[in-house]
């Protein structure tokens, strides 16, 4: 077992009031972004997740792997097709996605946590019927005719049902589940699913105490680009309507709302590139990102 680092010890020293709150509670952490490709950051993340397990919290990790998928597609010379700027996932591509996410990346993340002293097991949404998926379609409106049409993005899916049995078996055995975001349809077809979406669905199904979405930005920013430390669901919806929340942040906050509406106590968007971001969010007064509550 690796000893806590000095930074970890500083955080833990002030964490006692928070340890009781999270004792034996489930915390779902979505890990992704470009930070995954940096070895030291990955090892630091592994140490932090192991530490959560060692102090009595039940972490569940859901990971992405976009940069790694792009790298493998390039190496294998698999050509991407785009419709309205959105990549279509065909049969050849979904094989690469599953190979990278459920194979290389999944085992790297699980190994980093295990090396830090906690037992972690990598699974995908296809294992134990964890995630039953359905095909996602998008609609776009023609700016000239105002007519909507459906875009078929191929084998891109979304969770239709989450069966938590395999997760609870692992949690009860003090094993950290590490979940790759692929799922299977009722016919066995594999679907590529957005990691944020999987994390929100898993957190909701487990009635987690917290959902933490690690991203490449500090959290939700106001009109002056200043971090908003806490928001209600109503304030988030108002921010979307006003345009303050826009672009790629919209699906992230919508994932948080989805999870909260299914029983998660709070969801946080925070910068995964910051050292010990997970520990700072859970164990300090100021937190490390934007906390969204009901």
């Amino acid at each position: 077992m690796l000893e806590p680092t000095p930074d970890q010890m500083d955080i833990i020293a002030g964490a006692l009031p928070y340890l009781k709150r999270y004792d034996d509670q489930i915390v779902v952490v979505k890990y992704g972004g470009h930070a995954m490709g940096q070895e030291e950051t990955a090892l630091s993340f592994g140490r932090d997740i192991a530490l959560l397990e060692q102090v009595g919290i039940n972490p569940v990790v859901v990971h992405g792997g976009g940069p790694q998928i792009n790298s493998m597609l390039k190496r294998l010379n698999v050509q991407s097709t785009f419709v309205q700027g959105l990549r279509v996932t065909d049969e050849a591509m979904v094989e690469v996605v599953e190979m990278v996410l459920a194979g290389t990346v999944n085992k790297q993340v699980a190994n980093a946590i295990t090396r830090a002293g906690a037992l972690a097991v990598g699974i995908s949404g296809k294992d134990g019927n964890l995630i039953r998926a359905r095909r996602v379609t998008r609609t776009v409106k023609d700016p000239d005719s105002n007519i909507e049409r459906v875009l078929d993005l191929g084998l891109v899916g979304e969770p239709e049902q989450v069966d938590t049995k395999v997760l609870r078996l692992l949690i009860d055995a003090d094993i950290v589940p590490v979940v790759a975001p692929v799922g299977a349809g009722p016919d066995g077809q594999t679907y590529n699913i957005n990691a944020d979406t999987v994390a929100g669905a898993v957190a909701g199904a487990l009635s987690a105490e917290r959902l933490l979405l690690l991203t490449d930005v500090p959290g939700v920013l106001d009109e002056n680009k200043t971090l908003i430390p806490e928001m209600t669901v109503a304030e988030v919806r108002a921010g979307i309507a006003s345009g303050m929340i826009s672009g790629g942040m919209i699906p992230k906050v919508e994932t948080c709302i989805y999870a909260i509406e299914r029983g998660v106590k709070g969801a946080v968007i925070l910068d995964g590139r910051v050292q010990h971001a997970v520990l700072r969010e859970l164990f300090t007064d100021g937190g490390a990102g934007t906390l969204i509550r009901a």
Side-chain angles (χ1 to χ4, degrees):
M1 180 185 298
L2 297 181
E3 293 295 321
T5 65
D7 281 348
Q8 286 177 319
M9 289 303 299
D10 288 342
I11 295 170
I12 294 169
L16 292 179
Y18 302 95
L19 291 177
K20 185 175 181 181
R21 176 195 299 176
Y22 294 111
D23 183 45
D24 205 32
Q25 298 298 313
I26 294 173
V27 174
V28 176
V29 183
K30 183 268 179 172
Y31 175 50
H34 294 281
M36 291 184 68
Q38 301 171 8
E39 183 176 4
E40 183 48 46
T41 306
L43 291 175
S44 176
F45 173 80
R47 288 191 292 266
D48 288 353
I49 295 299
L51 189 61
L52 295 186
E53 196 277 330
Q54 290 159 2
V55 299
I57 297 170
N58 298 314
V60 176
V61 176
V62 177
H63 66 81
Q68 293 88 338
I69 292 170
N70 290 335
S71 176
M72 184 59 72
L73 289 172
K74 185 174 181 181
R75 284 175 57 188
L76 298 177
N77 198 29
V78 176
Q79 300 298 319
S80 298
T81 311
F82 292 86
V83 176
Q84 295 286 319
L86 299 171
R87 181 155 56 191
V88 176
T89 301
D90 58 18
E91 290 282 357
M93 190 172 296
V94 83
E95 286 186 15
V96 175
V97 167
E98 184 171 16
M99 176 177 67
V100 174
L101 291 181
T104 306
V105 175
N106 187 255
K107 305 318 171 191
Q108 287 175 344
V109 176
N111 183 56
I113 298 169
T114 300
R115 285 174 61 186
L119 190 59
V121 169
I123 60 175
S124 81
K126 293 172 66 176
D127 295 315
N129 202 31
L130 173 57
I131 299 173
R132 181 168 173 172
R134 63 188 170 207
R135 185 181 294 241
V136 167
T137 55
R138 299 277 184 89
T139 59
V140 294
K141 186 177 292 186
D142 185 282
D144 298 321
S145 65
N146 214 31
I147 296 174
E148 287 191 347
R149 66 186 182 91
V150 176
L151 298 181
D152 185 358
L153 301 180
L155 300 176
V156 176
E158 63 183 1
E160 182 175 44
Q161 182 178 342
V162 177
D163 185 339
T164 62
K165 184 184 301 181
V166 67
L167 294 178
R168 293 195 181 278
L169 286 171
L170 292 171
I171 291 168
D172 290 345
D174 295 325
I175 297 171
V176 179
V178 178
V179 181
V182 294
D187 58 353
Q189 175 64 63
T190 300
Y191 288 97
N192 176 25
I193 311 174
N194 177 274
D196 287 347
T197 304
V198 170
V202 166
L206 290 169
S207 297
E209 181 71 18
R210 280 287 186 274
L211 166 64
L212 307 182
L213 297 182
L214 302 186
T215 71
D216 296 336
V217 295
V220 180
L221 308 180
D222 65 15
E223 294 89 343
N224 299 315
K225 305 303 178 185
T226 302
L227 177 67
I228 303 173
E230 187 169 336
M231 302 181 77
T232 65
V233 168
E235 288 170 339
V236 170
R237 288 184 169 133
I240 295 173
S242 71
M244 181 188 75
I245 299 174
S246 61
M249 185 57 67
I250 291 177
K252 292 185 183 300
V253 296
E254 287 178 339
T255 293
C256 293
I257 291 172
Y258 174 94
I260 290 167
E261 288 177 340
R262 281 154 183 80
V264 175
K265 303 298 188 302
V268 186
I269 299 171
L270 64 162
D271 194 340
R273 299 168 300 180
V274 175
Q275 279 283 314
H276 310 305
V278 170
L279 302 185
R280 294 181 189 282
E281 173 55 40
L282 295 177
F283 298 145
T284 65
D285 285 333
T290 300
L291 169 64
I292 300 173
R293 300 178 180 270

